Amino acid sequence: MGTIFDLRTLFLIGSLAGGICAVTLFASRRIHRASESGLAWAAFAQLLFSLSMLMIALRGIIPDWLSVVLGNTTGPAGMIVLYESIRRICQMPPRPGYAAAAVAGVLLLQVTLGPSLDLFATRLQITSAIQGGYAALMLPLLRRRLPADPHVPMLCAIGLAGFFVGVHLTRLIWIAAWGASATADGQFAAGLMQSTIAATFTLAPMMHAMVLMSLVNGRIAADLRRIATTDELTGLATRRHFFSRVAERIGRDGSPVAVLMLDLDWFKQVNDRYGHKVGDRVLVHFACLLRRALAPGEHAARYGGEEFCALFERATEEQVRSAAQALCDTVRTTPFEQDSLTIPITVSIGVALMREGGSVEELVSIADRRVYLAKAMGRDRVVDRTSARRAAAAGREAASGREMASPPLQSAIV
């Protein structure tokens, strides 16, 4: 059975597509710093695929040592380089030396076989064994990154690698069972199966490039979401993200929920005395203590500067206060330490229960006022609704006592 595709034209189109993909990947390498090296190597792999298809397309027109020897070297070499690209994309230790040695081995093997077309089936088997083997090596690397990367692009990458493992395995089995027929001029693999597989390979550069760019774009989107929702210094949530979490919780039935505002005491003195670099490390230290105080399902954020906020959800109102007091005590007894430097820190905490406000802004405002009250009462303490009422009552009593102790105006005049 003859070929059902014009294979020479298909390989020329595949070569052009591979070249375009190589340029696109190389030009896009700097859009994501962590993937830059991987994209550069992927561009090199696409270039090798393009050269391989071009030399195969020109078989019978250019010398056989180019179309046969180098044509069958650059294809497997492209897969070896693509594997190195995947290693870098998956943030595995790069192995350029191994890649170079493997490419040199493939070249030596093809030179040993020579340019004769009599070994047509053998060359196809060697090519499929190398390319299918390296596609199989990509699978564990990609699966290992699945929890850390965007799922859909990574699943597409795993699926594509698995697909080409299957294609190459099918060709190996087919050639072993039925051999490999050739076109009338002996230049290309013929038959329905071989022609379909050859046509599939011409689409490979575009599929590789699309999956890689999809994966990188997914990483960029994930980075942007992380930037929008995570404070860069402390790793806690941003204020905006925290507000959205609290807004989701308002109105739901369940355990007592409280919004806490936390302000490190005398933090400006830390910056003035030790510098902002040490001050930043103190903030990170406090953020770690705050994170440890959270129960599952609770959240914390950096509000701004040395101010933080948290969402506590406990079984009772007393447990909320106890958890806040425990955090206050932990901060007091866990100073920041670095080398020979020890900086004691304390925190003032204001607590607002969910039922005290109807919106996020109201709750934060209530908790913020209680932070100021905590500072006015001497700092290093927790002020909630009960303690705020006691402070207000004590203030009224003090004011009343001062009023009673003052002599009447007439007596003062006399």
Side-chain angles (χ1 to χ4, degrees), residues 267-281:
F267 183 74
K268 185 177 182 302
Q269 295 182 5
V270 174
N271 279 334
D272 292 343
R273 182 174 179 181
Y274 301 103
H276 288 277
K277 188 174 182 179
V278 172
D280 285 347
R281 292 172 182 167

Side-chain angles (χ1 to χ4, degrees), residues 277-296:
K277 188 174 182 179
V278 172
D280 285 347
R281 292 172 182 167
V282 171
L283 293 176
V284 172
H285 169 72
F286 173 75
C288 291
L289 298 179
L290 175 56
R291 191 180 291 107
R292 292 174 193 167
L294 299 177

Side-chain angles (χ1 to χ4, degrees), residues 145-215:
R145 288 292 304 177
L146 189 58
D149 278 304
H151 268 55
V152 173
M154 185 56 72
L155 287 174
C156 289
I158 293 172
L160 183 62
F163 170 73
F164 279 104
V165 170
V167 168
H168 286 292
L169 183 60
T170 299
R171 185 159 78 165
L172 283 170
I173 295 173
W174 183 274
I175 294 174
W178 293 283
S181 58
T183 56
D185 58 5
Q187 304 292 332
F188 301 98
L192 177 61
M193 175 65 72
Q194 293 293 336
S195 299
T196 302
I197 291 176
T200 302
F201 290 158
T202 63
L203 300 175
M206 289 179 286
M207 290 189 282
H208 291 151
M210 289 175 61
V211 168
L212 282 175
M213 290 305 300
S214 176
L215 178 59

Side-chain angles (χ1 to χ4, degrees), residues 114-137:
S116 174
L117 290 173
D118 295 339
L119 299 174
F120 189 75
T122 301
R123 291 185 187 278
L124 290 179
Q125 287 177 311
I126 292 173
T127 298
S128 278
I130 295 173
Q131 293 187 337
Y134 273 91
L137 290 175

Side-chain angles (χ1 to χ4, degrees), residues 52-174:
S52 177
M53 285 186 281
L54 177 62
M55 286 185 281
I56 293 174
L58 297 178
R59 184 170 292 170
I61 301 174
I62 61 176
D64 286 348
W65 67 269
L66 279 175
S67 66
V68 177
V69 176
L70 290 182
N72 283 283
T73 298
T74 49
M79 185 61 74
I80 294 170
V81 172
L82 184 63
Y83 170 73
E84 178 64 21
S85 163
I86 294 300
R87 286 191 65 87
R88 294 164 185 254
I89 289 287
C90 292
Q91 299 179 3
M92 295 294 291
R95 293 178 177 175
Y98 286 96
V103 171
V106 173
L107 177 60
L108 179 61
L109 178 60
Q110 293 296 338
V111 169
T112 302
L113 293 175
S116 174
L117 290 173
D118 295 339
L119 299 174
F120 189 75
T122 301
R123 291 185 187 278
L124 290 179
Q125 287 177 311
I126 292 173
T127 298
S128 278
I130 295 173
Q131 293 187 337
Y134 273 91
L137 290 175
M138 295 176 190
L139 290 173
L141 298 180
L142 295 169
R143 283 199 300 266
R144 190 177 295 123
R145 288 292 304 177
L146 189 58
D149 278 304
H151 268 55
V152 173
M154 185 56 72
L155 287 174
C156 289
I158 293 172
L160 183 62
F163 170 73
F164 279 104
V165 170
V167 168
H168 286 292
L169 183 60
T170 299
R171 185 159 78 165
L172 283 170
I173 295 173
W174 183 274

Side-chain angles (χ1 to χ4, degrees), residues 238-252 257-261 299 301 303 308-312 350-370:
T238 59
R239 177 171 62 180
R240 180 178 180 180
H241 185 54
F242 177 79
F243 276 25
S244 67
R245 292 290 188 123
V246 177
E248 291 173 2
R249 187 61 186 82
I250 289 178
R252 282 166 34 193
V257 177
V259 170
L260 280 65
M261 290 295 295
H299 309 285
Y303 191 79
F308 295 79
C309 47
L311 178 68
F312 274 23
V351 180
L353 291 174
M354 192 70 73
R355 61 174 174 267
E356 294 184 82
S359 67
V360 179
E361 290 74 14
E362 290 178 3
L363 291 169
V364 170
S365 178
I366 294 170
D368 198 41
R369 288 198 301 270
R370 289 173 181 169

